[in-house]
Amino acid sequence: MGESWAPPARPEREIEAVIFDAYGTLLDVHSAVARHAARIGPEAAAVSAEWRAKQLEYSWVRSLTGPQHHQDFWTCTVDALRYVCARFGLRDAALVQDLLDAYRRLDAYPEVPAMLEALRAQGMRTAILSNGAPMMLSDATRAAGISTQLDMLLSVEAVGVFKPDRRVYALAEQRLGLPAHRMAFVSANPWDTQAALAAGFRAIRVNRTHAPDEYGLEAAGVPSLTNLSPLPGLVS
C-alpha cells in the first residue's frame, strides 16, 4: 500500500516582523523646527539639534535615577524645549506652542509610506517601539499618514522606563509573540540599534547623515542604510 502524500512543509521565514523606532527613523524630528525656522532665525538648526539632545538626555537621566522620577516622553519634550528656548532667548510664547504642536505632527521621511506598504505586501508584520507616549505616537502616525500601515504602536510607558533599558525591547517580544531573533529592529539611533542587537534582534541601522560607526555595529555585521527604501529587500 502506497504512502500517503503530503505537501512539503513551508519553509519558516527568518524574519516575520519589522519593528521600528519612531523619532528620527520613521519621523523627521527636525521637521518641527523647520516649519518655523524663519521665526527662529539663523540659529534654527542649532535649536533643533539641542532640543533633540536635551529631550534624550532628560529621558536617560529619569530612567537612571529611578522609577519615582519617570515622566513620559511628552514631558521630556516640553521640558527640553523650554530649556532650549531660554538658552537661545526665544521668548515668544506663541512660537513655543507652535513648535510643540508641530512636534505632535512630525513629517515622515519621504520613502516611509512606500516602504511600509512593500513590507506589508510581503506579509510582514510592522510595529513601532518608541520612547514616545501613546498619544504622541497615535497623533504622529495619523498626521504622517502611516497609521494604517502599522500593526502596533508600542510605547515604553507600558514598562515605565526609557530605551535603552532591556525591558523595553522585551515588550516587542511579549506583544508580538515572537522571539527577538525572528524580528528586525530598525533605528536611526546607534545606541538604540546596539541595545536591540544586545537584546537579540536582527538590528539594522539607518544612517542618513553618513555618521561614523559606533558601538562596533559594523564589526557585528549590522547593516547600515542611508534611507529605508532598500529595507523590504533586505528583510524578505
Side-chain angles (χ1 to χ4, degrees):
M1 186 174 178
E3 295 182 1
S4 60
W5 179 87
R10 181 181 176 184
E12 193 176 58
R13 295 179 73 155
E14 288 192 12
I15 296 176
E16 296 188 45
V18 182
I19 314 301
F20 294 92
D21 170 60
Y23 297 104
T25 301
L26 296 179
L27 304 171
D28 182 356
V29 294
H30 299 297
S31 64
V33 168
R35 292 178 200 171
H36 302 286
R39 295 165 66 187
I40 296 171
E43 293 182 310
V47 167
S48 189
E50 191 158 340
W51 185 11
R52 173 62 169 169
K54 276 291 174 185
Q55 177 197 51
L56 292 173
E57 177 190 326
Y58 290 169
S59 73
W60 293 330
V61 170
R62 289 188 180 281
S63 289
L64 289 168
T65 52
Q68 69 272 27
H69 298 288
H70 181 76
Q71 297 284 348
D72 69 19
F73 203 56
W74 182 246
T75 301
C76 294
T77 301
V78 174
D79 288 351
L81 181 60
R82 286 175 177 160
Y83 168 85
V84 170
C85 286
R87 208 179 81 72
F88 284 88
L90 301 174
R91 298 181 178 86
D92 182 348
L95 172 61
V96 173
Q97 187 58 54
D98 287 344
L99 287 169
L100 290 172
D101 290 344
Y103 205 93
R104 295 280 289 268
R105 302 187 304 274
L106 294 172
D107 297 336
Y109 287 102
E111 78 278 8
V112 166
M115 176 274 301
L116 290 173
E117 194 63 35
L119 287 175
R120 291 174 68 80
Q122 293 173 191
M124 201 74 67
R125 297 165 71 186
T126 56
I128 278 176
L129 177 62
S130 172
N131 277 342
M135 61 85 180
M136 292 178 69
L137 299 177
S138 177
D139 288 351
T141 55
R142 189 165 53 247
I146 59 174
S147 59
T148 60
Q149 296 169 308
L150 294 158
D151 295 304
M152 289 186 188
L153 302 178
L154 304 177
S155 167
V156 300
E157 290 306 302
V159 291
V161 67
F162 291 111
K163 296 177 182 180
D165 192 285
R166 195 178 183 110
R167 287 170 287 180
V168 174
Y169 303 92
L171 184 62
E173 296 180 282
Q174 296 161 11
R175 295 292 176 85
L176 277 86
L178 291 169
H181 72 272
R182 301 293 295 279
M183 294 184 280
F185 188 93
V186 185
S187 181
N189 302 299
W191 51 268
D192 189 20
T193 310
Q194 189 274 340
L197 181 67
F201 288 82
R202 307 288 190 88
I204 299 169
R205 181 185 180 186
V206 185
N207 187 359
R208 297 177 185 275
T209 61
H210 304 279
D213 179 52
E214 295 186 74
Y215 306 106
L217 295 175
E218 286 182 3
V222 173
S224 181
L225 307 176
T226 56
N227 65 72
L228 290 167
S229 294
L231 183 64
L234 184 64
V235 300
S236 65

